[in-house]
Amino acid sequence: GFLFYVKRRGKEVAFLASLILLSNFEVHRAAFACRVDMVLTVCIVLALYQLYRWYEKGMKGLPWIAALFMGCATLTKGPVGILLPCLVTGVFLLIRGISFFKAFWKMVLVGLASCVLPALWYLAAYQQGGDNFISLVMEENLGRFMGKMSYESHENGVHYYFIMLAAGLLPYTILLLVQLFFLKYSRPTGGIKKLWTRLVNYLRQMDVVRLYSLLSIVVIFVFYCIPKSKRSVYLLPIFPFIAYYLAELLIYLYCQKAKSLKIFSIILCSLGALLTLVFGMVRLGWIPESVFGGKHAAENIAYLHALESMPLGIDSIVLILLPFIVAIYLFVGPLKKKDYHAMTYTVIASVFAIFLALDGVLQPAVLNVKSDKRLAEKVKEYVPEGNLYSYIKVDMMRFFTINFYCGNRVLLFESEKPEEGYLLIGKKDAANYLPQQSSYDFEQVYESDKRSCDTRDNVRLYHFKKK
């Protein structure tokens, strides 16, 4: 993206867009979690960039590099890797005045070229998996899009994506909200037909790079609003293009010395300083356990104690202090001197400082407590060797973490129907499922004191035997 925008928009826009992309919440979270959606995003976005370069060169020949990226995207997560880049580029060509027939067949040829690499893999997979593989492909792609899957998969309404987009753009959502108070509003004039005509004319006269970036956002967003299955990570391909628009907004704001940028800087750096101060209060034991209530109080108290007792080296102390240091610099430097250009980069530095403090110090301490590793070690004390069995009501769920730390020996109770052994089951599932198993005797030998990170329920271990 940096190289793409350097040539077309200048180094500063490209540099700012890259920093914004790396420092928004959704991209950071997905990358930190090592999601396969990040690979899909990279392939789709690079394919879009290459398709735009192909358009710049007069659409001569086939864009083989774009086709390669779309093929890799398809191998990562299905035909959507080909469909989305072709759909965005096809709409772009129509708005730019290319005839429907020419745009359609150009995209069909690009799509077919992109199918070469995936076709080889799908053929090999079919030879191994047969009809079961085809059924799975149809369900995970066409069935997911049409809302006809055999199980519920992250079903949400259209409003879900607007909420997730606002959350995923954090902390820059705060800037957009602040900016709303400084915009000048006027009533639209004319009927719907005139408004539509104005919109079409505006899009046709729009700068080409901005138009392509806008369509990449809108088309992909609308496409993912159609299926019932909705997850925030599906929107990842639109974030590089949103980052470009945010970069242009920041440059405009610091050139105009806008008050919204000043307010945003103060809010964000203050939040960073507050993070350091709250951690200091935790380390000094000033936050009592009584502040936590509800059914998850025990877990939250465990997180509190983990932060209180975690060992701190020089590197950890530096990372924790970084947000506070950046905040002090903002107030004694750019704010005092009214240097809006430096203010812009100080804000982004504050975001990175917050992420470094969270990822480098705070989150590892909390996630170590949250992990099921200690639960798996407890299970191994009761069942040091041999198979374990599990039951979870949701078909697609498993005790992944326990299975990993127990050496991949957790089998499905439903399919194995063993004579005797040990059963892993959630507390809620146990109340509903075990009474139905009248041919077995169950004796509880252990129950975890916290919820599993895989199933969000306390885990029980039962010894069972057929009557």
Side-chain angles (χ1 to χ4, degrees):
F2 175 78
L3 296 176
F4 180 80
Y5 286 119
V6 161
K7 180 181 177 181
R8 294 159 185 84
R9 278 290 171 262
K11 292 181 180 179
E12 185 164 29
V13 171
F15 184 59
L16 266 176
S18 302
L19 292 178
I20 291 167
L21 181 62
L22 292 171
S23 59
N24 82 65
F25 176 75
E26 184 60 39
V27 173
H28 176 81
R29 183 177 70 94
F32 192 83
C34 240
R35 291 185 180 277
V36 68
D37 299 88
M38 290 301 289
V39 180
L40 176 68
T41 298
V42 168
C43 293
I44 286 178
V45 172
L46 289 176
L48 285 167
Y49 291 155
Q50 291 297 322
L51 286 171
Y52 180 84
R53 292 187 64 190
W54 174 64
Y55 165 79
E56 284 184 320
K57 296 176 181 178
M59 298 184 293
K60 296 176 182 178
L62 280 172
W64 288 108
I65 298 178
L68 177 63
F69 283 128
M70 286 190 281
C72 292
T74 301
L75 289 176
T76 304
K77 224 173 179 185
V80 70
I82 294 175
L83 180 60
L84 286 178
C86 288
L87 189 60
V88 169
T89 308
V91 174
F92 171 76
L93 294 178
L94 292 176
I95 293 177
R96 293 298 298 170
I98 305 297
S99 68
F100 177 83
F101 181 80
K102 182 177 180 180
F104 177 78
W105 285 111
K106 284 285 185 181
M107 289 299 100
V108 167
L109 290 174
V110 172
L112 290 174
S114 305
C115 289
V116 174
L117 181 62
L120 298 174
W121 187 88
Y122 274 79
L123 178 61
Y126 174 72
Q127 290 176 341
Q128 182 174 336
D131 292 338
N132 289 334
F133 168 72
I134 296 298
S135 299
L136 179 63
V137 170
M138 294 298 292
E139 179 174 36
E140 289 293 332
N141 292 282
L142 186 61
R144 187 181 294 275
F145 186 81
M146 301 297 293
K148 295 181 179 180
M149 300 186 72
S150 58
Y151 62 93
E152 292 185 5
S153 175
H154 310 286
E155 294 186 2
N156 293 286
V158 175
H159 67 281
Y160 171 82
Y161 271 150
F162 289 95
I163 297 171
M164 290 297 102
L165 183 60
L169 280 175
L170 285 171
Y172 302 100
T173 310
I174 300 172
L175 173 62
L176 298 177
L177 290 174
V178 172
Q179 184 64 20
L180 288 177
F181 293 96
F182 294 91
L183 294 177
K184 294 180 180 179
Y185 298 94
S186 60
R187 289 184 179 181
T189 57
I192 295 177
K193 187 176 181 180
K194 286 187 177 179
L195 290 174
W196 175 256
T197 303
R198 287 179 192 171
L199 175 63
V200 172
N201 290 334
Y202 174 77
L203 291 176
R204 285 177 176 171
Q205 296 169 11
M206 195 175 184
D207 176 83
V208 186
V209 175
R210 287 179 179 171
L211 175 63
Y212 194 75
S213 300
L214 178 64
L215 290 175
S216 297
I217 296 168
V218 174
V219 172
I220 293 174
F221 184 87
V222 172
F223 175 85
Y224 278 122
C225 284
I226 298 172
K228 288 184 178 180
S229 178
K230 295 178 177 67
R231 298 187 69 190
S232 60
V233 291
Y234 295 167
L235 297 180
L236 281 170
I238 73 175
F239 282 95
F241 301 100
I242 294 176
Y244 157 66
Y245 273 99
L246 285 173
E248 288 208 327
L249 174 62
L250 281 174
I251 291 174
Y252 170 79
L253 291 177
Y254 79 62
C255 287
Q256 297 297 318
K257 297 185 177 181
K259 289 183 180 179
S260 56
L261 179 59
K262 182 178 179 180
I263 294 171
F264 174 58
S265 303
I266 294 171
I267 292 173
L268 195 59
C269 289
S270 297
L271 289 174
L274 183 62
L275 176 67
T276 303
L277 293 173
V278 169
F279 179 73
M281 293 171 64
V282 169
R283 294 293 294 188
L284 293 171
W286 291 358
I287 299 180
E289 295 180 0
S290 57
V291 299
F292 299 109
K295 59 182 181 180
H296 304 314
E299 292 179 31
N300 293 327
I301 290 170
Y303 301 152
L304 177 67
H305 290 321
L307 292 172
E308 284 178 347
S309 59
M310 62 179 290
L312 288 177
I314 298 295
D315 54 344
S316 299
I317 294 172
V318 170
L319 291 178
I320 286 293
L321 289 175
L322 268 180
F324 192 79
I325 294 170
V326 174
I328 292 174
Y329 171 76
L330 174 75
F331 285 98
V332 301
L335 272 180
K336 189 175 180 180
K337 298 176 183 177
K338 296 183 180 180
D339 185 347
Y340 285 81
H341 186 267
M343 201 180 298
T344 302
Y345 288 95
T346 304
V347 169
I348 296 176
S350 179
V351 180
F352 279 103
I354 292 171
F355 282 155
L356 285 170
L358 289 172
D359 299 341
V361 183
L362 304 180
Q363 282 196 91
V366 172
L367 292 176
N368 284 339
V369 175
K370 191 176 181 180
S371 171
D372 285 350
K373 182 179 180 180
R374 277 182 278 183
L375 171 55
E377 290 172 349
K378 195 70 177 178
V379 170
K380 285 165 68 176
E381 291 179 13
Y382 288 97
V383 192
E385 57 184 22
N387 290 331
L388 285 157
Y389 300 91
S390 68
Y391 172 81
I392 300 175
K393 182 181 178 180
V394 181
D395 290 337
M396 299 296 288
M397 284 301 301
R398 301 286 187 271
F399 291 103
F400 296 110
T401 310
I402 296 176
N403 187 35
F404 176 80
Y405 286 111
C406 285
N408 197 31
R409 54 193 177 99
V410 180
L411 307 178
L412 297 178
F413 181 82
E414 284 276 273
S415 58
E416 298 293 329
K417 292 294 183 184
E419 297 285 329
E420 184 179 3
Y422 287 87
L423 174 68
L424 287 165
I425 189 171
K427 185 177 179 180
K428 295 176 184 176
D429 284 342
N432 298 319
Y433 181 71
L434 296 188
Q436 301 173 15
Q437 307 303 309
S438 55
S439 60
Y440 285 92
D441 285 324
F442 293 93
E443 179 187 0
Q444 182 178 327
V445 296
Y446 173 70
E447 180 177 339
S448 65
D449 57 359
K450 73 175 193 69
R451 297 179 300 160
S452 165
C453 59
D454 289 324
T455 62
R456 300 295 190 269
D457 193 13
N458 292 64
V459 179
R460 288 180 175 179
L461 180 67
Y462 286 88
H463 178 260
F464 64 85
K465 189 175 182 180
K466 264 195 174 181
K467 295 181 179 177

